[in-house]
Amino acid sequence: MEIKAIRMFDGGFMNQPFAFGGEEGKEKFDEQIIYRSSLQNFLIDMGDEVILVDTGFKNGAPVPPKKLGGPLYMGEKIADYMASFEALGYRPEQVTKILLTHKHPDHSGALEYFPNAKVYVSPEDADAQKLTGDNIVRVAYKDGAYHNFPKAEKIADGVWLIEAKGHTKGNSIVIAEADGLYYMMHGDVTYCDAALKANKLSIVFEDIDAARETLDRVREFVASNPTVYLSTHCPEGYENLEMKRVMKL
């Protein structure tokens, strides 16, 4: 198994009220405290198949402009998702499965480019996106608990899709087990690693109670298992992967 980052944007920023203010309110935090931002999704090369964890924006999609003082700026574009994917040496037809953590377009915009892929997605987010067709797998989390997470489904040897509601009503995370480590690709459970360490929710959620439960379970898992925390919206996502850096709370 080999995990790779598909990088799209870098050199951005987010402010502390955006990243930390979900429960206490934005006014409780300092907008002059800034964290680095980026955008990347992930690929799992199993040897006999290629699995994507999310896809980025559709090619050529407009992205929010840089605004000084704004809550979130993803950074300067490195490449469209498909250009970055192909630069890693893969072809779209090689992808057999796409594990969708949630419905937002920076995670699901490029689904249409993979003709042979089954798309694994929660029923809630499948409905929200109106995803239909023989390639859509509405995940039932049929394999029961995974460690401290009550609902999970085994996708391949060492790869698990786990129910983790809150950010969206059907949010999920992916954990891949390799070399004695747990690689957690969590979508947007947090927007920056600093929020995970500080135990803070972002302001973006559909169910605040579920988001709190999910963050508690994520932190419990990270505290108990050697976890490489692979974020979508901060450079630590690809840096942690490159260094196999285990998250310390």
Side-chain angles (χ1 to χ4, degrees), residues 2-247:
E2 187 175 4
I3 302 171
K4 301 178 182 182
I6 301 175
R7 296 177 56 191
M8 293 159 276
F9 292 80
D10 207 355
F13 56 80
M14 69 185 79
N15 68 22
Q16 191 182 65
F18 173 87
F20 281 26
E23 290 175 302
E24 294 130 293
K26 294 186 289 185
E27 67 280 357
K28 299 294 185 182
F29 299 95
D30 187 350
E31 65 181 12
Q32 295 187 44
I33 296 177
I34 300 296
Y35 304 101
R36 296 184 299 157
S37 183
S38 62
L39 179 64
Q40 60 274 332
N41 294 153
F42 298 95
L43 176 153
I44 306 172
D45 188 334
M46 300 294 294
D48 59 347
E49 66 174 332
V50 176
I51 301 173
L52 300 181
V53 180
D54 291 338
T55 70
F57 289 113
K58 185 176 181 177
N59 286 352
V63 295
K66 183 177 183 179
K67 181 180 177 181
L68 294 178
L72 172 66
Y73 171 59
M74 284 184 287
E76 299 296 323
K77 179 182 278 192
I78 300 170
D80 280 328
Y81 179 86
M82 291 306 296
S84 185
F85 164 81
E86 290 171 348
L88 294 176
Y90 297 94
R91 303 183 310 278
E93 58 269 23
Q94 291 178 272
V95 175
T96 56
K97 298 183 177 88
I98 300 172
L99 312 182
L100 198 60
T101 65
H102 65 286
K103 63 188 178 183
H104 293 155
D106 51 337
H107 296 259
S108 65
L111 291 176
E112 65 187 80
Y113 302 129
F114 298 95
N116 300 326
K118 297 285 188 181
V119 179
Y120 291 72
V121 58
S122 68
E124 296 91 342
D125 278 19
D127 288 344
Q129 289 184 278
K130 297 181 171 59
L131 294 176
T132 59
D134 293 341
N135 67 317
I136 303 300
V137 180
R138 296 166 64 92
V139 178
Y141 306 106
K142 60 181 172 54
D143 294 313
Y146 178 84
H147 291 255
N148 63 315
F149 295 99
K151 294 183 179 181
E153 185 160 329
K154 185 177 181 181
I155 302 299
D157 287 343
V159 180
W160 296 82
L161 184 62
I162 298 163
E163 185 179 74
K165 295 183 177 184
H167 179 65
T168 67
K169 292 178 181 178
N171 203 75
S172 61
I173 63 177
V174 176
I175 295 179
E177 304 168 0
D179 305 319
L181 299 175
Y182 297 85
Y183 292 84
M184 180 182 286
M185 291 154 271
H186 62 83
D188 299 342
V189 170
T190 61
Y191 273 81
C192 62
D193 289 13
L196 177 74
K197 295 176 182 179
N199 195 19
K200 301 295 184 184
L201 292 173
S202 83
I203 64 170
V204 186
F205 54 81
E206 292 184 347
D207 185 330
I208 187 65
D209 293 333
R212 167 43 59 190
E213 180 180 350
T214 287
L215 184 57
D216 288 345
R217 291 189 186 279
V218 166
R219 284 174 50 84
E220 180 184 358
F221 183 91
V222 169
S224 303
N225 302 280
T227 303
V228 182
Y229 193 68
L230 301 183
S231 295
T232 298
H233 286 286
C234 66
E236 288 95 328
Y238 63 81
E239 293 170 354
N240 291 344
L241 178 61
E242 288 170 2
M243 293 184 280
K244 298 185 178 181
R245 182 165 57 195
V246 171
M247 174 60 67

